[in-house]
Amino acid sequence: MSAQTADFQDLFRRVQPAEGGREVFDPATGESVGRAPEASVEDLDAAVARAKAAQPGWAARSDQQRSQLLHSAADAIETHAEGLARLLSQEQGKPLNGPNARFEVGACVAWLRATAEFTLEPEVLVDDDSGKAVLHWRPLGVVGAIGPWNWPMMISIWQLAPSLRQGNTVVIKPSGYTPLSVLALVEVLNTALPQEVLIAVPGRGEVGDRLSRHPDVAKIMFTGSTATGRSIIKAAADTVKRLTMELGGNDAGIVLEDADPEAIAEDLFWGAFINTGQTCAALKRLYVPEPLYDQVCQALVEVAKNMPMGVGLEEQNVLGPLQNKAQWEIVDRLVTAAKDSGARVLIGAEPERNTAGYFYPTTLIADIDPQNPLVVEEQFGPALPIIKYTDLDQAIEWANSLTEALGSSVWSSNPDRAEEVASRLVAGTTWINKHGAIDPRVPFGGARESGFGLEFGLEGLKEVSQPHIISQ
Ligand code: NDP
């Protein structure tokens, strides 16, 4: 064990209860990862009270000080990066390598540093003979952050970094599936941050529900399923909370006839299979024109065959298990429905059952009906349906036909043509010749039932600020 990992182990011991709590298991092996404390609704109330008391002092610090403290928090993550990545791998299941655990911890650092560098200046709206009006961005107060299990550390940073940057304090409720990753991350961040500006409260849905109703919480940042998002919107109504909702996606990718199948295959693969398909803005249905269909299918099979799946801590793996049994069952149900409909399995679709880990093999399904459940429902796992089209207008109509509209992509060798098709897609983001590529400088959010509100960049800072106009 390296010195760095030994330091991390001390820190990890601190986040686990001395006794009691709930045992958390590695989804790849079924082995114990550690024990998570279980907070009650009363614990949540106490945490909000502490965060509320700390907020004025935090907001009173200079903008430069808060920026500097976010950089110090990023330094702390770098110090413990390997320990955090190994814990994340064990609890979430994602491998250390590939676009997975080490990548996620690296992204936490990158997003913290980028957010530390953004500054939301007051905007002079009017300054003439008629008078002067200036828009200021004030803190909201206490921000509640509720996160999922797929990218638990990175999404926590997306929620907490802009909130802290703008002078809010944060109470964060991790997913019940991945509490230890978030608790450890918060413990690391709190080695750099002042006391009580960031508090993690591990508990189940009722703790999230209380956070969404709490009169002293000004805003909820939520990432998770659309169903839970609806509950939170209702719960937040009584206190008119501000909301940022990053909900489910069922992203379409459209390949155009002028694309080069060999050249795009690996990017298509990772667009779909990043984090073993458990990503809100992953490519979840691929539309391919008839003349290129067989070539694209074959090129994807060649890539898929060479991507090892297995236990996260084994260095060669780049794909892992599903994080939990419920998600495994969703993927299995949808792939079975596709097979039963007569769709053609290119690779995968034969999972080993009754094993310790929730592994589902990398699956590509061709010749599938555009209305098949595997196409129109979010699979959130390693199974991609590839739909043939003969008419581009029809493909665009299919792409735009769902209530989810988070991301989408167009694949082409002709940038102008790709942009023209992109402009006809309904989504928060449409990528060209890539999918799911996010950047802390570029705002990200959903359309339709994939949610509302923007994260990242200056737009992300505005979401966690109260606009205040002074007019004279
Ligand atoms: P959920 O939406 O159920 O959970 C997300 C978070 O909300 C968790 O922290 C959960 O806590 C919390 N929560 C649950 N109920 C409430 C409530 N009533 N009020 C406030 N907070 C609540 O997602 P799941 O993890 O169950 O995943 C289900 C589906 O969601 C997946 O199949 C996938 O389709 C989608 N999903 C989408 C993600 C995305 O990035 N857009 C991420 C993860 C999932 P707890 O876990 O303790 O119940």
Side-chain angles (χ1 to χ4, degrees):
M1 185 187 289
S2 69
Q4 183 191 50
T5 309
D7 280 355
F8 181 77
Q9 288 304 331
D10 284 345
L11 193 142
F12 183 48
R13 263 189 287 279
R14 292 208 296 269
V15 306
Q16 297 179 79
E19 53 187 41
R22 180 171 54 87
E23 197 148 15
V24 178
F25 299 97
D26 182 337
T29 62
E31 288 165 13
S32 175
V33 179
R35 299 194 73 80
E38 287 265 75
S40 63
V41 167
E42 291 71 31
D43 295 330
L44 187 271
D45 285 346
V48 172
R50 281 154 47 213
K52 185 183 177 190
Q55 194 271 329
W58 176 242
R61 288 178 185 250
S62 71
D63 198 54
Q64 201 187 0
Q65 274 183 324
R66 286 198 300 272
S67 168
Q68 191 49 52
L69 282 162
L70 288 192
H71 277 299
S72 302
D75 295 342
I77 294 182
E78 282 182 329
T79 303
H80 294 289
E82 185 63 11
L84 286 168
R86 297 181 83 83
L87 170 61
L88 176 62
S89 175
Q90 286 174 282
E91 183 178 56
Q92 204 284 334
K94 62 182 69 188
L96 287 171
N97 292 317
N100 293 299
R102 288 180 178 132
F103 168 85
E104 181 168 347
V105 173
C108 291
V109 174
W111 254 263
L112 268 172
R113 294 207 189 285
T115 310
E117 290 303 310
F118 299 136
T119 301
L120 207 46
E121 302 285 359
E123 290 171 37
V124 179
L125 306 171
V126 174
D127 189 7
D128 59 21
D129 293 346
S130 67
K132 187 172 180 189
V134 181
L135 169 57
H136 299 267
W137 300 99
R138 313 293 192 206
L140 285 165
V142 178
V143 171
I146 303 176
W149 45 260
N150 55 345
W151 294 90
M153 291 187 184
M154 188 175 73
I155 289 175
S156 295
I157 293 289
W158 292 356
Q159 297 174 330
L160 67 88
S163 302
L164 292 174
R165 180 79 181 90
Q166 289 305 99
N168 306 287
T169 52
V170 177
V171 175
I172 185 162
K173 193 215 88 69
S175 163
Y177 289 114
T178 50
L180 294 171
S181 299
V182 176
L183 286 168
L185 175 72
V186 167
E187 189 77 13
V188 167
L189 297 171
N190 278 337
T191 62
L193 296 172
Q195 283 194 338
E196 312 288 31
V197 305
L198 172 63
I199 305 173
V201 183
R204 284 291 182 169
E206 65 273 11
V207 172
D209 183 60
R210 173 66 180 154
L211 192 58
S212 315
R213 295 176 191 280
H214 203 293
D216 290 332
V217 172
K219 158 122 197 173
I220 295 289
M221 305 271 296
F222 174 71
T223 298
S225 66
T226 301
T228 304
R230 282 195 193 94
S231 303
I232 292 175
I233 292 167
K234 287 178 192 157
D238 282 346
T239 47
V240 195
K241 283 192 204 333
R242 278 63 181 146
L243 298 169
T244 296
M245 291 275 134
E246 210 270 82
L247 308 177
N250 194 347
D251 291 9
I254 301 182
V255 177
L256 303 188
E257 274 192 33
D258 57 26
D260 175 349
E262 304 285 326
I264 62 175
E266 191 156 338
D267 288 336
L268 276 176
F269 179 85
W270 281 119
F273 290 90
I274 183 168
N275 201 29
T276 315
Q278 301 161 105
T279 299
C280 47
L283 172 54
K284 291 175 181 147
R285 43 195 177 115
L286 181 63
Y287 298 91
V288 179
E290 206 266 327
L292 287 191
Y293 194 76
D294 291 341
Q295 279 172 276
V296 169
C297 287
Q298 193 49 42
L300 275 170
V301 169
E302 289 308 314
V303 177
K305 279 197 309 207
N306 293 311
M307 295 297 178
M309 177 184 284
V311 173
L313 292 185
E314 294 171 4
E315 297 276 347
Q316 76 278 10
N317 293 322
V318 292
L319 296 164
L322 273 306
Q323 203 282 328
N324 54 74
K325 188 158 183 281
Q327 197 59 49
W328 191 96
E329 284 170 353
I330 291 171
V331 175
D332 188 46
R333 173 176 65 78
L334 292 172
V335 172
T336 301
K339 284 200 292 186
D340 289 351
S341 75
R344 181 162 55 101
V345 175
L346 296 172
I347 190 170
E350 293 293 340
E352 279 186 46
R353 291 169 197 277
N354 305 317
T355 55
Y358 303 128
F359 288 100
Y360 201 93
T362 306
T363 297
L364 295 166
I365 304 272
D367 298 336
I368 185 167
D369 186 274
Q371 303 308 326
N372 187 277
L374 180 61
V375 179
V376 297
E377 292 180 35
E378 185 187 25
Q379 67 276 52
F380 217 67
L384 180 68
I386 309 169
I387 306 106
K388 192 184 292 173
Y389 75 84
T390 50
D391 172 6
L392 180 59
D393 289 341
Q394 172 75 83
I396 292 171
E397 195 181 312
W398 286 332
N400 286 339
S401 65
L402 303 183
T403 53
E404 296 95 344
L406 188 57
S408 58
S409 56
V410 181
W411 303 76
S412 166
S413 302
N414 179 339
D416 293 339
R417 180 93 181 98
E419 217 174 308
E420 191 271 321
V421 174
S423 70
R424 296 170 63 194
L425 293 175
V426 180
T429 306
T430 299
W431 289 279
I432 293 176
N433 293 329
K434 54 189 181 180
H435 197 111
I438 46 167
D439 181 317
R441 298 165 300 181
V442 181
F444 176 73
R448 295 186 177 157
E449 292 183 20
S450 288
F452 52 84
L454 289 169
E455 296 181 273
F456 317 160
L458 290 181
E459 296 306 317
L461 294 188
K462 290 178 186 173
E463 292 269 331
V464 284
S465 307
Q466 173 60 51
H468 180 200
I469 292 150
I470 297 184
S471 181
Q472 54 186 306

